[in-house]
Amino acid sequence: MPPLSAHSLYQSPYCPFCVKVRSALQAMQLEIEMVDTVRDPEARQALINGGGRSMVPCLRIDHEDGSVEWMYESDDIIDYFRDNFAQ
Ligand SMILES: N[C@@H](CCC(=O)N[C@@H](CS)C(=O)NCC(=O)O)C(=O)O
C-alpha cells in the first residue's frame, strides 16, 4: 500500500460527488493533495491522458513500482480510504 502522500484527488469545487468525497476525507481526518481540474487545465488534460476520462472525482494512486492507478467512482474512493487509512 503506497503512503498517503502518494495519493491525489482530481476534483472540482461544485461537483456533488467531489463534495461527498472531500467530506468523507475530512471526517476520516485524512489530508491528501487536491487537484482542481476546473482551475488547472493542464491537470484536467493529465487526467484525460492518464485515466482516459475527464470525469471527477478521480483518485490518482502512485504505486511504489512506478505504475499509476486512476480510480473514478466516488464510492470506491471513499471505501478505499476507509479500508486502508481510516483510524
Ligand atoms: N459515478 C460518478 C459520477 C461522477 C460525475 O458524474 N462527475 C461529473 C461532475 S458532478 C463529471 O465529472 N462530469 C463531466 C465528465 O464526465 O467529464 C461518481 O460517483 O464518482
Side-chain angles (χ1 to χ4, degrees):
M1 179 63 49
L4 203 56
S5 59
H7 299 77
S8 45
L9 186 69
Y10 286 63
Q11 45 86 48
S12 64
Y14 304 114
C15 157
F17 304 98
C18 302
V19 171
K20 180 178 70 174
V21 174
R22 289 200 304 269
S23 299
L25 286 169
Q26 200 170 13
M28 289 186 262
Q29 299 185 318
L30 297 176
E31 284 190 20
I32 69 159
E33 183 192 0
M34 294 288 159
V35 180
D36 184 333
T37 58
V38 172
R39 293 185 65 175
D40 185 346
E42 282 181 22
R44 184 172 182 276
Q45 193 57 50
L47 173 62
I48 296 168
N49 293 346
R53 285 176 285 167
S54 59
M55 186 182 286
V56 288
C58 181
L59 178 66
R60 175 182 168 137
I61 308 168
D62 286 274
H63 289 284
E64 278 155 5
D65 65 1
S67 64
V68 179
E69 182 181 351
W70 301 86
M71 186 184 291
Y72 274 96
E73 281 301 314
S74 54
D75 287 339
D76 291 347
I77 295 169
I78 293 169
D79 286 348
Y80 171 84
F81 282 114
R82 192 161 285 146
D83 291 346
N84 295 299
F85 291 101
Q87 306 262 335

